[in-house]
Amino acid sequence: MDIYIDTADLDEIKQAAALGVLDGVTTNPSLVAREGVDFHTRLREICQVVSGPVSAEVVATDHDGMIAEAEPLIGIADNIVIKLPCIEEGVRACKTLSDRGVRVNMTLCFQPLQALMAAKAGAFLISPFVGRVDDVGGDGMEIIQQIRQIYDNYGYETKILTASIRHPQHLVQAALIGSDVATCPLKVIQQVMKHPLTDVGLKKFLADWHEAMAVLQKKEPALT
Ligand code: G3P
């Protein structure tokens, strides 16, 4: 499963990229607004750090406006993926761009039929928001499961990108279901590498090692 970071914060992206396991980046208008920087400049900076797919979302809500906004974004770098909302005009714009060979990420997906339409329109990625579904008492991961089954039933190649991930359990479930990608905040990427028993075990290994070395040094100074 590919792991993307869900942020427009360049320092966070650099931190995640330094791990050597980052496959891409997703941004959205709220994340970019939080940074208070020029959108295109920030995308250029991100694309210098990450060579995998970098999603850039349009804010127009009509087909022609979406295409017009997408044009300069596409020119920023080869790895830019145009992010469009799962609305009628978004599906139309997805078809237009996909037919031209532009990769599209269909976002704000909350039910499996939106994912079906995105796949039929040639989307490269579909982004179901699991955390936001859970927030309103639904079961976000059930939607991932349903989309997986629909895509597998018909051989759609659109990749499922599990988004709106709130905690490591979302990531575990996404991987078990067979989501192609998961996009997470830096906090979750860091959380998945932590386990208290790993810390306790490492502390013990190091203590045992240093204790044994100290004893050995006393007995056989030349060996240490
Ligand atoms: O970028 C899309 C998605 O991951 C947003 O997540 O936490 O705002 O629901 P969140």
Side-chain angles (χ1 to χ4, degrees):
M1 183 171 70
D2 283 352
I3 302 284
Y4 294 1
I5 187 165
D6 193 29
T7 185
D9 181 321
L10 197 59
D11 288 335
E12 289 190 356
I13 292 167
K14 285 180 179 168
Q15 226 177 303
L19 292 168
V21 295
L22 187 70
D23 300 296
V25 178
T26 48
T27 65
N28 64 39
S30 304
L31 293 170
V32 176
R34 200 179 292 167
E35 295 302 304
V37 292
D38 175 68
F39 184 33
H40 289 204
T41 306
R42 178 48 52 93
L43 287 171
R44 259 180 233 108
E45 291 168 335
I46 295 173
C47 291
Q48 278 164 11
V49 177
V50 178
S51 59
V54 173
S55 289
E57 189 161 346
V58 303
V59 290
T61 53
D62 65 294
H63 171 276
D64 293 354
M66 289 177 186
I67 303 300
E69 238 183 276
E71 297 297 353
L73 295 172
I74 295 163
I76 287 177
D78 288 346
N79 53 330
I80 289 286
V81 173
I82 302 301
K83 208 170 172 188
L84 305 171
C86 277
I87 57 175
E88 276 187 44
E89 294 292 291
V91 171
R92 284 183 58 215
C94 177
K95 178 75 175 130
T96 302
L97 291 173
S98 302
D99 283 351
R100 277 175 46 189
V102 175
R103 294 188 296 180
V104 174
N105 175 357
M106 292 298 285
T107 190
L108 289 167
C109 170
F110 293 95
Q111 52 106 334
L113 293 177
Q114 288 176 310
L116 175 63
M117 298 307 272
K120 287 177 70 65
F124 169 62
L125 293 162
I126 180 73
S127 291
F129 280 24
V130 294
R132 291 192 195 184
V133 173
D134 291 357
D135 288 346
V136 294
D139 182 350
M141 295 317 302
E142 191 185 4
I143 295 167
I144 304 297
Q145 189 115 46
Q146 291 170 339
I147 298 172
R148 179 74 284 154
Q149 190 175 335
I150 290 168
Y151 281 7
D152 289 349
N153 284 350
Y154 298 100
Y156 289 119
E157 287 178 6
T158 301
K159 292 177 187 297
I160 302 173
L161 184 162
T162 302
S164 186
I165 283 180
R166 302 268 193 269
H167 46 70
Q169 268 310 311
H170 275 148
L171 214 48
V172 174
Q173 291 305 316
L176 288 172
I177 291 167
S179 179
D180 301 287
V181 189
T183 190
C184 322
L186 179 64
K187 191 186 87 177
V188 174
I189 295 176
Q190 290 168 330
Q191 280 173 334
V192 302
M193 292 177 294
K194 283 197 182 119
H195 195 285
L197 290 179
T198 304
D199 296 339
V200 170
L202 181 60
K203 207 172 160 190
K204 175 96 169 80
F205 282 161
L206 296 181
D208 290 347
W209 176 264
H210 291 304
E211 196 183 314
M213 286 305 112
V215 171
L216 197 59
Q217 191 168 28
K218 272 189 201 151
K219 278 202 289 194
E220 307 271 1
L223 289 179
T224 57

